Amino acid sequence: MLTAIDEAVDKYLPFFEQEPLVSDPAANPTHRPGTPWQRAYQQGQNTVIDDDLIRRYHYLEEI
């Protein structure tokens, strides 16, 4: 399991370290309107993102 997580981090980290993502967190594709992150954030900063929200909106999270 940890190997799979490490592989995913290695695969996607370069994407999230590029501009404009570094200087503009709103450019992060997982923070777009309608995503689980945005819906949880509306409830309050640092709110836990509900697993059900992730499952229902996962198809929007394409990189």
Side-chain angles (χ1 to χ4, degrees):
M1 178 69 163
L2 291 179
T3 301
I5 293 170
D6 289 340
E7 289 172 357
V9 168
D10 290 342
K11 180 178 180 179
Y12 293 108
L13 184 60
F15 173 80
F16 289 99
E17 289 182 328
Q18 67 187 354
E19 289 296 338
L21 295 176
V22 173
S23 60
D24 181 11
N28 184 327
T30 64
H31 288 58
R32 292 182 182 144
T35 62
W37 174 87
Q38 187 261 339
R39 291 173 181 266
Y41 193 80
Q42 284 178 333
Q43 297 172 17
Q45 189 172 6
N46 297 323
T47 300
V48 174
I49 301 172
D50 183 83
D51 288 342
D52 187 50
L53 277 176
I54 293 170
R55 282 192 280 282
R56 286 187 289 151
Y57 291 93
H58 187 267
Y59 70 94
L60 296 173
E61 305 283 334
E62 295 181 13
I63 297 177

